[in-house]
Amino acid sequence: RMENCDSLTRADLRNYAPASNLQLNETIKRLIAEGQVIYHFGFGQSPFPAMDEFCQKLSEYAGKNQYLAVAGIEELRTAIASFHKRYDGLDFSSDQIIVAPGSKELLFLTMLVMDADILIPSPTWTTYLPQSKLAGKNSIIVSSRFEDDWRLNPEILDKAIEERCTSKNKILIFCNPDNPTGTSYTEQQMEKLSEVLRKHSVIVLSDEIYARLHYQDQHLSIAKFYKEGTILMSGLSKWASLGGWRVGYAIFPKELTEVQSAVRSAGSHTYSCTSAPIQYAIADVLRNFEACDSFVCHTRRILEAVAKYSHKHLTSVGVKCILPTGGFYMMPDFEVIRAGLEKNNIETCQQMCDDLFQKRSVVVMAGGPAFLRPVKEFTVRLCYIDFDGTIALNESINRGLDQPLTEEFVEQFCSHTADGIKAIVEWVKSYK
């Protein structure tokens, strides 16, 4: 510490911690590299390879080395607009879009530039609340419930806004399909939610990074129901397996050009632009609907097969769990073994997760506090994607889309995840 200086960090950030999921992943990767056999259900990275088309185009454009427009090249923004027209039935123009090195960056910058309270569901992704704090905002946690399939309840949201918001302006962080629960919304549920949002003029930051991974290909964007107040955030980290490429985007409604302009300005003072070769490569491939369709259809059905397998085996021993409808995650509740755990002096969810790791080498993340659940609630986020996606993808392609993927497929071609789920089942039995 420098002499004659007070604390150099803001008072509200003195105990500010790094992203818990990234920190955990670094630790577990080191242990695996040392030779330990671990079932890593703690990190949401796509198990599948990057599409060949992306890699070929990146090589083709590797010589692109100039700074680009802050909002992204016109070709890419036009391709993104066409992409959402095809897959979501939404009409956007290229001038409504900002491209950045990850939608995470745009989520934060949007919170930062807006003068508003931030409404954050519980459970939710680990980063939303820390970003809100970093932006210096007043955060209001809105709890969802297992009996609602962890969906945001319109009545609960309405009450939270009326009783707890202090600012005239309000932002709702909305993840759909959801991380960490895997839930999504029907048309009727979206309509009821939109009524509350419109009533209070809430601005929605709709994180739709898992949209293409809706297992029934029935993703519904809140922008379809509340277009004037929705900023659609997405990217290629999940469906396209390009997490390390760091490309995301935000699509602003024309009614929020003031916010869009402020975010673009903030981008000019922070990230400058997204990687040039990557922008040109993605612009080309997003227009190749045939390649995108094939990749998404195969990876999506593999994820669905693993989700159903995991859900079936966990619920068979009394674990409460909603069957995921999209994405990489489920949120099991191990309340069924509370008595057995407490007899062994295990009272918090983190203690339970530590015990599961020590006894069965299975890594999951505790629902509380990272996902904003109570620390003594035995809910966890389980990422059922610890398998060799290249092997599974090749087998799915060989079988063809007309052939269903059975439990046998999961046990043979997603075996590490299957073995990890079986390890959890045996661990649960030991406490019953």
Side-chain angles (χ1 to χ4, degrees):
R1 180 170 175 172
M2 295 183 66
E3 294 182 6
N4 303 318
C5 286
D6 291 332
S7 176
L8 296 174
T9 55
R10 280 169 26 196
D12 61 326
L13 297 179
R14 299 267 164 83
N15 295 313
Y16 199 67
S20 53
N21 58 334
L22 296 177
Q23 192 174 34
L24 174 66
N25 187 52
E26 290 173 7
T27 300
I28 299 305
K29 284 177 69 175
R30 185 178 69 251
L31 295 176
I32 293 172
E34 292 171 358
Q36 293 193 37
V37 177
I38 294 174
Y39 304 106
H40 188 7
F41 299 157
F43 191 61
Q45 177 167 291
S46 173
F48 302 107
M51 290 165 55
D52 288 342
E53 290 82 357
F54 280 118
C55 298
Q56 292 164 5
K57 287 295 182 179
L58 183 61
S59 177
E60 179 181 330
Y61 290 114
K64 296 284 187 179
N65 65 340
Q66 295 182 330
Y67 284 103
L68 302 176
V70 174
I73 59 173
E74 174 66 25
E75 298 95 317
L76 177 53
R77 290 183 287 115
T78 298
I80 290 169
S82 298
F83 189 82
H84 282 276
K85 174 66 174 176
R86 174 182 172 84
Y87 289 104
D88 296 320
L90 296 170
D91 288 307
F92 299 115
S93 62
S94 62
D95 60 8
Q96 292 177 260
I97 299 170
I98 296 178
V99 178
S103 56
K104 197 174 187 178
E105 178 82 8
L106 290 167
L107 281 162
F108 173 67
L109 290 181
T110 305
M111 290 188 216
L112 183 68
V113 303
M114 288 189 67
D115 180 15
D117 287 344
I118 312 287
L119 293 149
I120 303 175
S122 163
T124 199
W125 182 42
T126 58
T127 283
Y128 297 137
L129 181 60
Q131 281 197 346
S132 176
K133 288 183 176 179
L134 190 60
K137 305 303 181 185
N138 176 38
S139 304
I140 297 149
I141 309 303
V142 184
S143 288
S144 57
R145 305 176 299 192
F146 180 87
E147 53 264 39
D148 292 325
D149 288 357
W150 295 120
R151 297 185 186 96
L152 195 57
N153 183 291
E155 289 77 20
I156 294 174
L157 176 62
D158 187 51
K159 184 177 180 181
I161 294 170
E162 292 186 346
E163 295 182 357
R164 297 163 59 195
C165 284
T166 57
S167 174
K168 182 179 179 181
N169 301 322
K170 294 161 282 288
I171 293 172
L172 171 67
I173 308 296
F174 185 64
C175 187
N176 174 41
D178 187 53
N179 173 7
T181 67
T183 200
S184 58
Y185 293 75
T186 66
E187 185 171 346
Q188 184 180 27
Q189 290 160 350
M190 282 293 199
E191 288 172 347
K192 290 183 177 180
L193 196 57
S194 297
E195 289 175 7
V196 175
L197 298 169
R198 190 170 282 113
K199 170 185 173 183
H200 296 286
S201 299
V202 178
I203 305 304
V204 182
L205 302 191
S206 186
D207 186 348
E208 302 184 21
I209 196 77
Y210 299 97
R212 304 284 67 82
L213 298 179
H214 189 290
Y215 298 150
Q216 303 306 313
D217 192 22
Q218 294 177 356
H219 171 69
L220 291 173
S221 173
I222 190 74
K224 185 171 285 189
F225 304 86
Y226 183 47
K227 189 172 184 178
E228 73 274 17
T230 298
I231 302 172
L232 193 161
M233 306 269 186
S234 194
L236 291 91
S237 294
K238 307 303 181 181
W239 76 262
S241 304
L242 297 179
W245 284 32
R246 307 311 305 136
V247 180
Y249 53 86
I251 308 177
F252 294 81
K254 294 178 180 179
E255 291 83 354
L256 296 177
T257 54
E258 177 189 0
V259 177
Q260 181 181 357
S261 178
V263 171
R264 185 170 55 244
S265 294
S268 74
H269 294 297
T270 51
Y271 62 82
S272 297
C273 69
T274 306
S275 164
I278 288 174
Q279 286 198 58
Y280 283 102
I282 291 175
D284 278 5
V285 180
L286 283 189
R287 292 190 285 261
N288 186 344
F289 292 134
E290 182 179 355
C292 292
D293 283 349
S294 175
F295 185 80
V296 168
C297 286
H298 282 287
T299 56
R300 185 172 59 208
R301 77 181 192 137
I302 294 167
L303 291 170
E304 181 183 21
V306 179
K308 287 181 175 179
Y309 180 95
S310 303
H311 179 267
K312 175 184 175 181
H313 286 268
L314 292 174
T315 56
S316 73
V317 290
V319 177
K320 291 171 60 180
C321 188
I322 301 302
L323 179 64
T325 56
F328 300 161
Y329 317 105
M330 59 177 58
M331 198 165 197
D333 185 340
F334 292 89
E335 181 67 26
V336 67
I337 56 171
R338 178 176 292 276
L341 292 170
E342 290 180 345
K343 284 180 183 178
N344 288 270
N345 299 314
I346 297 173
E347 298 181 348
T348 70
C349 192
Q350 187 57 57
Q351 289 171 337
M352 182 187 74
C353 293
D354 292 343
D355 185 77
L356 177 58
F357 178 62
Q358 291 164 8
K359 293 181 177 176
R360 304 289 174 168
S361 298
V362 176
V363 179
V364 291
M365 286 188 68
F371 296 97
L372 309 185
R373 300 308 296 167
V375 295
K376 291 191 175 182
E377 179 183 275
F378 290 142
T379 53
V380 305
R381 186 186 76 165
L382 190 157
C383 314
Y384 41 86
I385 49 177
D386 188 12
F387 58 88
D388 189 324
T390 300
I391 292 175
L393 178 60
N394 287 338
E395 179 61 22
S396 177
I397 293 170
N398 289 338
R399 293 188 180 198
L401 291 172
D402 58 330
Q403 295 296 316
L405 302 184
T406 61
E407 284 202 6
E408 165 270 326
F409 173 90
V410 175
E411 292 187 335
Q412 184 174 355
F413 298 100
C414 309
S415 58
H416 198 65
T417 291
D419 290 344
I421 294 298
K422 292 175 183 176
I424 297 175
V425 167
E426 293 306 311
W427 173 79
V428 169
K429 289 179 179 178
S430 73
Y431 279 108
K432 293 181 78 172

